[in-house]
Amino acid sequence: MKTPEISVIIVNYNGKKHLKENLSSLFSQSFKDFEVIIVDNASWDGSVEFVKKYYPKRVRLIVNKTNRGFCGGNNDGIKAAQGNYLFLLNNDTVLDKDCLYHLYNFISHSDERCFAVFPKVLFYHTPCFINSAGVVWNYKNFWRDFRIGLLDFGQFKGSEKIFGAMFVGVLIKKDIFYKMGLFDENLFTYGEDFDVCYQANLLGYDLYLVPEAIIYHKFRSSSQEDRDPLWSYYLFLRNYYYVIFKNLSLRSIFKSLPFLLKLYFLNLLWGFQNKEYKRFWLAIKVPLGLLKRFPSLIKKRIWLQKNRKRRDEEFWDFKEREDHNIFHYCNRPVLNILNVKTALYGSILYKKDGKDFTT
């Protein structure tokens, strides 16, 4: 049997309601040379039965007895993958019919430094707005998804080198990812895209946006953020610090220390002042969670810094940006004049509270 070029890996946790539309769009791709692996993380909503009934021959199913998170679930799928490339795909997505064709066409003709290519991701319910089209790592130590909520006028043409993007869907070279050690399972879920993109950049690899490839994303519908916001809050905060202490140079960490301490204590203070005592307690648990993972973190950090090819500053973004996504609020796009002007003309300088910022 011929080895497929691409292994599509979908991690599923109680996502049965998404699977039919997701898999239908996948099997309707103009590019056909791929296998599909679904890793089910102990779902109880009938997902496994659904896949067995309707896709017994077209989908390879891995059933985990426990929820191994996004990281562990993907690693399980990757270890079973036969393809030369890995397409990691959220289950709450619908692909344009030429999505895989455009991604594969780019990465298969790329040089040895290219690690990953990302599609343009649009909101499923409001596809005139961008969900993800590249992110930056700002020098203030923010992962800034600066295009989320931006109007899509088809303004992005041709490939663009980027720091990275959300892992809604990403096509990566399997051999390079194995060299990087795959996903760090200490993270479990949330922040793994920060981690992989930062590692790839510091190890000297390149990542690209291919906007001709399009995915429609039912944003937040497969995460636990809405169902258990405190659980998500803890993982986001813990993993943010984990990624920084693992990946940044010591010089960058010391320079950022005042901000990192301020951010942590502001989280503690907010929980206490607003009598959100569960949130306060979870913030206290963050350093304890980091301490528990410290031996593994140090081991991974030593390897990364030893094999570093680029200084942090070489791939950081040094534009002045607000500390929140200006075109996206409460999980909804924000339509205003600044949004329209940015979509039409690119980055715009603007003032707020007497300070200059860039969109």
Side-chain angles (χ1 to χ4, degrees):
M1 185 176 177
K2 180 180 178 294
T3 301
E5 269 295 278
I6 297 174
S7 294
V8 180
I9 299 169
I10 302 167
V11 174
N12 180 73
Y13 179 65
N14 292 324
K16 177 187 173 184
K17 63 183 178 181
H18 302 304
L19 291 177
K20 182 178 180 180
E21 193 172 18
N22 172 257
L23 292 171
S24 293
S25 72
L26 195 51
F27 290 123
S28 299
Q29 290 295 292
S30 58
F31 179 89
K32 303 291 186 184
D33 193 4
F34 62 87
E35 64 171 346
V36 178
I37 301 170
I38 290 182
V39 181
D40 188 84
N41 271 336
S43 297
W44 63 80
D45 68 341
S47 293
V48 170
E49 292 75 14
F50 173 82
V51 174
K52 287 181 176 179
K53 180 177 180 179
Y54 293 103
Y55 300 95
K57 295 182 179 180
R58 304 185 79 180
V59 171
R60 294 170 61 196
L61 184 63
I62 297 173
V63 181
N64 286 331
K65 294 181 179 180
T66 59
N67 182 1
R68 288 186 23 80
F70 186 87
C71 296
N74 268 298
N75 283 349
D76 293 337
I78 291 168
K79 290 169 184 176
Q82 298 176 351
N84 297 313
Y85 302 94
L86 306 168
F87 186 52
L88 311 180
L89 182 66
N90 278 15
N91 61 2
D92 59 345
T93 56
V94 176
L95 282 66
D96 177 80
K97 66 180 180 65
D98 293 321
C99 180
L100 276 181
Y101 166 79
H102 288 299
L103 293 174
Y104 177 76
N105 188 53
F106 183 90
I107 202 169
S108 62
H109 293 93
S110 65
D111 62 28
E112 67 279 359
R113 291 201 311 178
C114 177
F115 164 62
V117 290
F118 295 87
K120 178 173 67 176
V121 182
L122 303 175
F123 287 103
Y124 176 88
H125 295 291
T126 51
C128 57
F129 292 99
I130 290 171
N131 182 190
S132 181
V135 302
V136 295
W137 187 280
N138 192 258
Y139 77 100
K140 297 176 183 177
N141 283 320
F142 288 128
W143 163 279
R144 179 55 58 232
D145 205 346
F146 68 116
R147 288 170 177 164
I148 188 171
L150 184 66
L151 280 163
D152 180 40
F153 292 150
Q155 64 267 42
F156 301 109
K157 308 287 186 184
S159 62
E160 175 188 353
K161 186 178 175 182
I162 56 176
F163 169 81
M166 290 194 296
F167 277 22
V168 177
V170 56
L171 184 63
I172 64 179
K173 292 178 179 176
K174 185 171 73 172
D175 58 339
I176 294 178
F177 203 26
Y178 264 100
K179 290 177 185 176
M180 291 170 58
L182 305 183
F183 285 105
D184 187 338
E185 295 187 23
N186 282 327
L187 296 170
F188 187 74
T189 194
Y190 295 132
E192 67 285 327
D193 40 12
F194 304 3
D195 188 48
V196 172
C197 292
Y198 208 102
Q199 284 183 60
N201 278 279
L202 73 83
L203 292 172
Y205 296 115
D206 298 328
L207 304 91
Y208 292 88
L209 171 71
V210 179
E212 294 79 14
I214 298 172
I215 287 180
Y216 302 93
H217 184 211
K218 302 170 187 175
F219 187 60
R220 293 287 185 239
S221 64
S222 67
S223 73
Q224 200 159 336
E225 190 168 346
D226 293 327
R227 289 172 286 167
D228 192 349
L230 287 177
W231 181 85
S232 302
Y233 163 77
Y234 167 72
L235 287 177
F236 267 121
L237 191 60
R238 186 199 71 188
N239 290 352
Y240 171 72
Y241 282 98
Y242 182 95
V243 169
I244 285 178
F245 293 141
K246 172 183 168 183
N247 291 289
L248 272 65
S249 69
L250 283 177
R251 177 172 174 269
S252 297
I253 290 173
F254 283 124
K255 285 179 68 176
S256 305
L257 210 51
F259 165 77
L260 296 174
L261 290 171
K262 179 182 176 182
L263 177 66
Y264 177 69
F265 285 111
L266 282 175
N267 273 276
L268 279 177
L269 185 64
W270 191 96
F272 185 77
Q273 287 182 334
N274 291 277
K275 298 183 179 180
E276 292 275 355
Y277 296 123
K278 286 185 178 179
R279 179 170 170 146
F280 176 77
W281 172 241
L282 286 171
I284 288 177
K285 284 182 65 177
V286 165
L288 300 177
L290 292 171
L291 192 62
K292 181 181 178 181
R293 291 159 180 79
F294 187 74
S296 176
L297 185 156
I298 289 298
K299 183 179 179 181
K300 294 174 189 292
R301 174 180 173 80
I302 290 171
W303 184 87
L304 281 168
Q305 303 310 316
K306 181 180 178 181
N307 290 279
R308 176 186 283 273
K309 298 291 189 297
R310 291 174 180 155
R311 294 180 297 110
D312 295 324
E313 295 83 358
E314 290 182 58
F315 50 85
W316 281 3
D317 165 61
F318 286 93
K319 293 180 180 179
E320 293 299 327
R321 301 186 189 273
E322 293 193 59
D323 59 2
H324 61 277
N325 294 318
I326 61 175
F327 301 137
H328 193 248
Y329 181 73
C330 291
N331 290 338
R332 287 181 172 83
V334 175
L335 181 59
N336 53 28
I337 296 299
L338 188 61
N339 192 327
V340 175
K341 289 173 68 176
T342 302
L344 289 173
Y345 306 116
S347 292
I348 300 288
L349 292 172
Y350 67 99
K351 283 187 178 292
K352 185 176 180 181
D353 299 329
K355 298 180 180 179
D356 293 323
F357 293 104
T358 302
T359 59

